[in-house]
Amino acid sequence: MKNILLLGATGSIGQSVLSVIDQNKDLLNLYAITLDKNISKAEEISKIFSPDYIYINCEKSFSKFNTESKNKASAINGSSDLSNLIFDDNIDIIISAVSGFAGLEATAIAAKTGKTILLANKESIVTAGEIILSSAASSGTTIIPIDSEHNAIFQCLAGEKSTNDVSKIIITASGGPFLDKKLDELKNVTKEEALKHPNWSMGSKISIDSATLVNKCLELIEAKYLFDLDEKFFELVVHPQSIIHSIVTYRDGSSICQMSNPDMRVPIAHALSNERRLNINFNEINFSGLNLSFNDFPEDRKKLENIAREVCNKGHSSGIILNAANEVAVDSFLHDEISFSQIYDVIYRTFDTTTMSNINDIESIYEKDIESRMEAKKVVKSIS
């Protein structure tokens, strides 16, 4: 039986994790969960899984939960309690499923534990990849990606002693809800249109990232760090069906891909497997009626890709600036402060004008994130 700490239990990834655990209760135990403020969802989770601990980040929600809840789990709050929970010797697997930059703190702590981390929080790697991976290597922490694309690469590399024989890795993008639309056609799209992904059911932030294709650029940066390969090895390709999640081509001409219908439970189940793969209910691919297509990454979004490749090559604060600019831009769009197409303007102008700096510790990352968000908000104000 493996004890699991689920960071970000009430989000879309967290719900997929819970589904996999629920189908494998003889092998997996939900030992503890963390959340921000959705205490009603926490109550639901607790009734089904009976975790020992519930960490609530929002102090107001924590107080309300402590006052009103009759839950038997120990409710905790505060950075020291979070750190103690992550280092709890009873925990075998830590799943980092918090959305956005907010997931950095817990992921950085988890990297020091020597446990196994299942990673869905790409922003922590984009902003602090060098530090987190160095901590993981020093402490003996194993990181297994559960984003569908990175887990696909992980599976395609299985059994290989190193990446020395890799010729190319293709990371696929669905194209989102605006597939085949030119950038100048997207000025007046609504939030509802941008949030309506054709293949995946996701939270608001990642849904907008998918619509802008920023998500794929963040995944390129994450892949560079996770697999320790130069950015030139990675190619971004639009694959509308979201059946093939990544392809690894070796120098002998062999290409190996991972395929599944779009369902986050598939990579999660793989990452949670031990000697044998876990059973889950899944929608089988109908190969007899399968039509797959692939297209180049849109030319009018190439500046995004070029920025991502620049981040891969420069490192240090460049990833922090890109991520902060994007998070501010997405939040501004969701609050009707800017249009969809202006998300790109905020990212480009913030990245071009914010001063790059060397980053050596987590504290410096937080300082640079604050500075970058201030710059991005200035851009939002100037164009709104």
Side-chain angles (χ1 to χ4, degrees):
M1 180 71 72
K2 296 290 185 181
N3 282 334
I4 294 170
L5 165 59
L6 175 54
L7 306 170
T10 60
S12 60
I13 301 295
Q15 295 305 293
S16 294
V17 170
L18 293 172
S19 176
V20 174
I21 295 174
D22 191 44
Q23 295 177 66
N24 292 275
K25 284 185 175 179
D26 57 328
L27 299 171
L28 305 171
N29 174 54
L30 187 67
Y31 181 76
I33 62 172
T34 77
L35 60 136
D36 185 23
K37 55 189 174 185
N38 192 346
I39 55 178
S40 60
K41 195 69 178 178
E43 290 276 19
E44 291 178 24
I45 294 169
S46 188
K47 286 178 183 178
I48 298 170
F49 295 94
S50 301
D52 289 57
Y53 294 95
I54 299 176
Y55 174 88
I56 303 171
N57 186 57
C58 173
E59 288 189 15
K60 185 177 179 180
S61 298
F62 170 70
S63 297
K64 184 178 180 181
F65 186 87
N66 260 349
T67 303
E68 300 177 4
S69 177
K70 296 179 182 179
N71 203 295
K72 293 181 180 179
S74 297
I76 54 178
N77 166 264
S79 293
S80 60
D81 278 348
L82 177 63
S83 182
N84 289 336
L85 177 62
I86 291 171
F87 272 95
D88 188 323
D89 289 337
N90 292 300
I91 293 169
D92 302 297
I93 298 170
I94 301 169
I95 302 180
S96 179
V98 179
S99 175
F101 185 75
L104 172 60
E105 179 185 10
T107 305
I109 295 170
K112 300 176 182 179
T113 62
K115 303 178 190 293
T116 296
I117 301 176
L118 271 53
L119 183 69
N121 179 248
K122 65 177 67 64
E123 290 84 357
S124 60
I125 300 299
V126 169
T127 59
E130 295 168 23
I131 294 172
I132 288 175
L133 291 176
S134 177
S135 291
S138 298
S139 62
T141 298
T142 299
I143 297 178
I144 303 174
I146 54 175
D147 271 337
S148 60
E149 296 81 4
H150 301 91
N151 184 263
I153 297 169
F154 186 82
Q155 291 197 54
C156 292
L157 291 172
E160 299 295 326
K161 294 180 180 178
S162 71
T163 55
N164 292 338
D165 290 332
V166 171
S167 173
K168 180 172 67 174
I169 296 177
I170 291 175
I171 301 174
T172 61
S174 68
F178 306 128
L179 181 68
D180 298 328
K181 293 283 187 181
K182 299 294 185 184
L183 189 54
D184 58 12
E185 299 177 73
L186 302 178
K187 293 179 181 179
N188 299 314
V189 300
T190 65
K191 284 187 291 187
E192 291 73 24
E193 290 171 329
L195 289 167
K196 193 175 182 180
H197 197 284
N199 301 334
W200 298 91
S201 176
M202 306 180 292
S204 297
K205 196 267 182 183
I206 192 172
S207 293
I208 300 301
D209 283 352
S210 180
T212 59
L213 295 180
V214 168
N215 192 49
K216 211 49 50 180
C217 295
L218 297 179
E219 287 175 2
L220 167 62
I221 300 166
E222 183 184 11
K224 180 262 185 205
Y225 282 111
L226 290 179
F227 302 105
D228 194 23
L229 283 168
D230 191 278
E231 51 83 16
K232 67 183 179 182
F233 283 91
F234 298 97
E235 180 180 347
L236 303 182
V237 172
V238 175
H239 169 52
Q241 296 79 24
S242 296
I243 298 293
I244 293 179
H245 302 288
S246 285
I247 305 168
V248 176
T249 299
Y250 291 94
R251 61 183 181 180
D252 64 1
S254 300
S255 290
I256 299 175
C257 72
Q258 187 272 336
M259 305 172 68
S260 65
N261 278 309
D263 183 344
M264 278 303 300
R265 295 176 305 165
V266 174
I268 291 166
H270 167 264
L272 281 170
S273 298
N274 194 0
E275 294 178 358
R276 298 183 63 185
R277 292 189 180 235
L278 298 179
N279 284 316
I280 62 167
N281 297 322
F282 65 94
N283 181 22
E284 290 189 15
I285 299 172
N286 178 15
F287 286 98
S288 63
L290 190 62
N291 290 302
L292 303 178
S293 59
F294 302 90
N295 303 298
D296 292 336
F297 198 78
E299 192 62 38
D300 58 4
R301 256 59 62 93
K302 276 289 184 179
K303 185 172 182 179
L304 270 180
E305 181 181 344
N306 291 338
I307 287 175
R309 294 187 184 278
E310 183 178 342
V311 171
C312 288
N313 291 319
K314 286 188 174 180
H316 289 294
S317 68
S318 57
I320 304 166
I321 297 168
L322 170 60
N323 184 73
N326 179 57
E327 290 197 3
V328 168
V330 170
D331 186 67
S332 299
F333 169 67
L334 290 173
H335 285 88
D336 301 313
E337 296 172 11
I338 61 174
S339 68
F340 181 84
S341 60
Q342 286 177 319
I343 292 174
Y344 299 95
D345 296 331
V346 175
I347 294 171
Y348 297 158
R349 288 173 58 177
T350 303
F351 193 81
D352 288 343
T353 58
T354 306
T355 304
M356 302 285 180
S357 56
N358 292 337
I359 298 294
N360 299 308
D361 52 48
I362 294 294
E363 289 73 22
S364 299
I365 291 172
Y366 280 108
E367 290 172 4
K368 194 66 184 182
D369 176 72
I370 292 170
E371 176 194 338
S372 302
R373 287 173 192 271
M374 290 175 62
E375 290 298 318
K377 288 174 182 176
K378 288 179 184 177
V379 176
V380 169
K381 190 174 181 180
S382 72
I383 64 177
S384 58

